[in-house]
Amino acid sequence: MGDFDGKRILVTGATSGIGAATAEAFCRAGCAELIVVGRREDLLQEKAKAWSDKYGCDVAAVVLDVGSRPDIEGITVDHPNLFDVDILVNNAGLALGRDPLQEGELDDWEAMVQTNVMGLLYMTRAVVPHMLQKGSGHIVNLGSVAGRWTYPGGGVYAATKAAVVKLTEGLRMDLLGKNIRVTNIEPGMVETEFSLVRHKGDAAKAKAVYADTRPLRPEDVADTILWACSRPPHVNVQELVLYPTDQAHVGQVHRAPN
Ligand code: NDP
Ligand code: 8X3
């Protein structure tokens, strides 16, 4: 019997990067039902079908902006049991811009706070009552090393990830005694669409972030998430920092041209 047999799992931000790798890893590991969330409908549907065909897992694609309270409330009214899951991976998130704070774009700030903080809160609030009713559950949040150590031009993104540290800690306290685990996974540099999004489609800038170094792959983070979720029920991985070998700190990356 596998660790995820019979489990219903929800992964937000599953159209690319860490979320897509995590969703696929749960299917591969034999979860019964997977719900994947993202905004790019065609991509989400395509991935959901591919995972379902390949692994025989029941995959439901739910097109949703996690930062939209009306969307989440609406879908909850229409489908009251949609968020009744055993594991929630709050992965959807983004950085926008590398401007110094004094020159920052207000729209970028709002999108980061709304997605990385409010989105995580809305999803958590929608899921936790079901876990309480069942008497079990696991919430995995995607923080970042940026939530512990910031860097120039990264202050707002880092603040949203610092919020994830506190929200994870507070939720764990509020749920003490309820048999619900709460984990914060904090990766360093992972090569995904993250930098392309941050640099608003500028592929050269995005590529430069990962040039001549060996970043983490999304699958490395997915492995870590599955490891945390497959500990015995009395074990909770509270927080876990995962750097590539070639990164000692947020701003300190070893680069060696091949
Ligand atoms: P990607 O850009 O590859 O993936 C981000 C995912 O989030 C996409 O699937 C995107 O889908 C989804 N998403 C973004 N905004 C929303 C929204 N409002 N509602 C629903 N889905 C949304 O980046 P990563 O895989 O790298 O990022 C995943 C998480 O990991 C983020 O929280 C990020 O902050 C964190 N992280 C990333 C690191 C890195 O170096 N890459 C390091 C540390 C943490 P769509 O556009 O279809 O909505
Ligand atoms: C993403 C890692 O260092 O680009 O959370 O902020 S970093």
Side-chain angles (χ1 to χ4, degrees), residues 3 137-138 179 181 226-237:
D3 291 310
H138 195 159
N179 195 38
R181 302 189 283 187
L226 264 73
W227 175 79
C229 291
S230 55
R231 295 310 84 213
H234 68 287
V235 177
N236 182 37
V237 178

Side-chain angles (χ1 to χ4, degrees), residues 144-146 151 157 187-189 194 198 247 250:
S144 166
V145 293
Y151 49 88
Y157 175 69
M189 182 189 283
F194 178 86
R198 166 171 250 172
Q247 185 178 23
V250 265

Side-chain angles (χ1 to χ4, degrees), residues 13 15-16 18 39-40 65-66 91 143 157 161 187-188 190 192-193:
T15 50
S16 77
I18 296 167
R39 294 165 303 173
R40 284 171 288 177
D65 176 347
V66 297
N91 164 79
Y157 175 69
K161 292 301 181 178
V190 192
T192 62
E193 292 180 12

